[in-house]
Amino acid sequence: MNLLMVGVDFTRADIALREPLSFVRGQVLALLPRIAEKPGVSGCALLATCNRTELYVHLMDGAEADALSLLCAAAGVPPESYRAAAQVLRGNAVARHLAEVAAGVQSQIYGDDQIVSQVRDAAALARQAGAMDAVMDTLFRRAVTAGKRVRTETRLRGVPPSAAQRAIARAETFFGGLAGKRAVVIGNGEMGRLSAALLRDAGCAVTITLRTYRHGETVVPAGCATHPYDDRAALLDGADLAVSATTSPHLTIAAEQVRAMKHPPRLLIDLAMPRDIDGAAAGGGVAVWNLDDLGRAADENAADRARAMEIVGEELAAFAEWHAYRRSLPVIDEVKGTALRRLRFDHDFSALYEENDVDGLLELAVGKTVDLLLGGMKEAVSPERLTDCLARMRKGMNG
């Protein structure tokens, strides 16, 4: 299969190098059609998360492409800056990589249960942009299925399953407990709401900043207060800690703002890509953590890790079977036509037609066609395979 993937992730590049290759939803919708229009490209999708940016491309048979150049051109950065850090995969390795990513086994926090939603969203964006072909669509569907099955059939959640959980767990250690602490959460997306709920459950008084509030539409975790985003600096002054998790391309907390505060938060946690919090804000009693600082949590459940990889293998096998059948369709049409011509060449059906012997015609046609087909596949024929074939043929039959 002519699949191609180029990516830069946390294992190959630090957060500063990854930032120029981060994209928000609107940017993805704009760039995918441009990539899909390139010569030889049949379909494409872009997975852009906090820890990785990966471009997946399905090329037409015989076509070649420099995926890194495609990705860097979309970001407006020189490919040479990323040659050493970029990972390039081809063929079956692309399918396996995507399935493992969706399953969370490639995540910075092993078993991260946010990534499967991000893979699903990447596929949805590619469909919306008109960049998804049948192969890419089926590949992403199988990867998402693998991720969902790992979530439900294993217990990889024995470790913190998201960057937010890891951050809050470390914050409890940092403070010696969070009960009674004042916490500010900037960003009311999925990661922001999760952080707010975790801080609330740990005993914090939590306030979430909002750009706008629409009654009945804006979802805020129960027990959390709200505050205008534009007035966040005043809210932060006097707080114990803050979490920022937005998709803003600009800083939400600048070093100058922190230095101007009388009582700045002791801990600033940045869960965004690109970064929300200026790293220069650290110092003078203020600690700043970003995604790289949170590290990768170890998972000690070997049985669940093994089962996760089994699930990935099962979904990859299903994709390979689908892909092989799809590639075989033109040949199947040729087999049908050749079998029909061979029957006409080998047999005189006039007597059966005159006798109106429909059963005889069917028996002759089916028998000869099966003999011709299986005779050309002797090396692949076995009783076990034929038994499986019979079971499928009998599905839906009465009696």
Side-chain angles (χ1 to χ4, degrees):
M1 59 189 76
N2 203 2
L3 294 172
L4 184 63
M5 189 285 292
V6 61
V8 176
D9 64 19
F10 69 96
T11 67
R12 293 170 170 267
D14 62 21
I15 197 167
L17 189 60
R18 299 196 309 269
E19 274 183 326
L21 292 181
S22 62
F23 302 95
V24 296
R25 179 186 179 89
Q27 292 173 313
V28 173
L29 286 173
L31 70 89
L32 282 179
R34 298 202 300 268
I35 296 175
E37 292 173 356
K38 298 294 182 182
V41 175
S42 178
C44 60
L46 181 67
L47 175 62
T49 75
C50 299
N51 289 320
R52 67 183 67 248
T53 297
E54 295 175 344
L55 175 64
Y56 292 82
V57 180
H58 177 223
L59 297 172
M60 299 172 188
D61 289 343
E64 294 290 339
D66 183 347
L68 181 60
S69 293
L70 293 176
L71 179 61
C72 289
V77 296
E80 291 72 22
S81 301
Y82 289 89
R83 293 285 178 198
Q87 180 184 28
V88 179
L89 299 175
R90 296 179 180 275
N92 293 331
V94 175
R96 173 164 291 279
H97 177 80
L98 179 59
E100 291 182 358
V101 167
V105 299
Q106 294 272 2
S107 295
Q108 187 172 29
I109 297 174
Y110 195 87
D112 179 9
D113 63 356
Q114 305 295 316
I115 187 64
V116 65
S117 297
Q118 293 168 328
V119 173
R120 184 187 60 226
D121 292 344
L125 279 179
R127 294 186 196 104
Q128 185 178 341
M132 192 74 100
D133 68 353
V135 171
M136 292 293 294
D137 189 81
T138 304
L139 173 62
F140 269 78
R141 288 183 189 278
R142 283 295 176 184
V144 169
T145 299
K148 289 180 178 178
R149 288 184 59 196
V150 168
R151 300 283 82 72
T152 58
E153 297 178 30
T154 72
R155 292 182 293 179
L156 291 181
R157 294 179 180 181
V159 298
S162 71
Q165 289 176 313
R166 180 68 172 165
I168 304 315
R170 284 191 58 185
E172 287 194 280
T173 301
F174 179 86
F175 284 103
L178 292 175
K181 301 297 182 185
R182 284 186 55 202
V184 175
V185 176
I186 300 173
N188 194 41
E190 182 180 9
M191 189 66 78
R193 292 194 299 271
L194 175 59
S195 300
L198 290 169
L199 287 166
R200 176 205 61 202
D201 292 345
C204 287
V206 182
T207 301
I208 301 177
T209 66
L210 300 176
R211 291 184 182 274
T212 58
Y213 181 86
R214 295 182 177 87
H215 184 70
E217 296 182 20
T218 303
V219 178
V220 176
C224 297
T226 61
H227 191 87
Y229 170 82
D230 290 340
D231 193 32
R232 61 193 180 282
L235 180 65
L236 289 167
D237 201 346
D240 294 292
L241 72 154
V243 176
S244 190
T246 76
T247 58
S248 171
H250 309 294
L251 293 175
T252 60
I253 301 177
E256 294 76 11
Q257 290 175 306
V258 175
R259 295 191 187 103
M261 297 175 188
K262 293 182 179 180
H263 303 286
R266 288 177 55 198
L267 177 61
L268 300 173
I269 302 173
D270 191 343
L271 299 180
M273 169 64 83
R275 285 175 287 184
D276 277 350
I277 301 174
D278 189 347
V286 177
V288 177
W289 297 345
N290 61 40
L291 290 167
D292 283 352
D293 298 321
L294 295 176
R296 178 169 179 153
D299 173 64
E300 299 176 356
N301 194 326
D304 280 328
R305 288 203 305 273
R307 177 56 187 149
M309 297 311 296
E310 287 178 2
I311 291 170
V312 167
E314 291 165 5
E315 295 302 325
L316 287 175
F319 172 71
E321 181 180 339
W322 172 88
H323 190 260
Y325 183 79
R326 182 177 185 271
R327 291 179 61 243
S328 300
L329 289 175
V331 182
I332 291 172
D333 286 338
E334 288 189 28
V335 169
K336 291 177 181 178
T338 302
L340 181 59
R341 292 191 298 272
R342 181 67 181 267
L343 282 169
R344 286 172 174 168
F345 178 80
D346 289 346
H347 297 278
D348 182 2
F349 295 95
S350 57
L352 294 173
Y353 276 118
E354 290 174 2
E355 297 172 9
N356 198 26
D357 187 356
V358 176
D359 287 339
L361 283 167
L362 288 173
E363 184 176 349
L364 177 61
V366 170
K368 188 63 178 178
T369 300
V370 171
D371 288 342
L372 286 169
L373 185 61
L374 296 183
M377 302 172 60
K378 289 180 180 179
E379 295 181 355
V381 174
S382 69
E384 293 76 19
R385 288 188 176 182
L386 290 176
T387 300
D388 289 340
C389 182
L390 279 171
R392 295 188 183 189
M393 291 171 66
R394 287 167 176 163
K395 283 184 180 180
M397 294 177 64
N398 295 321

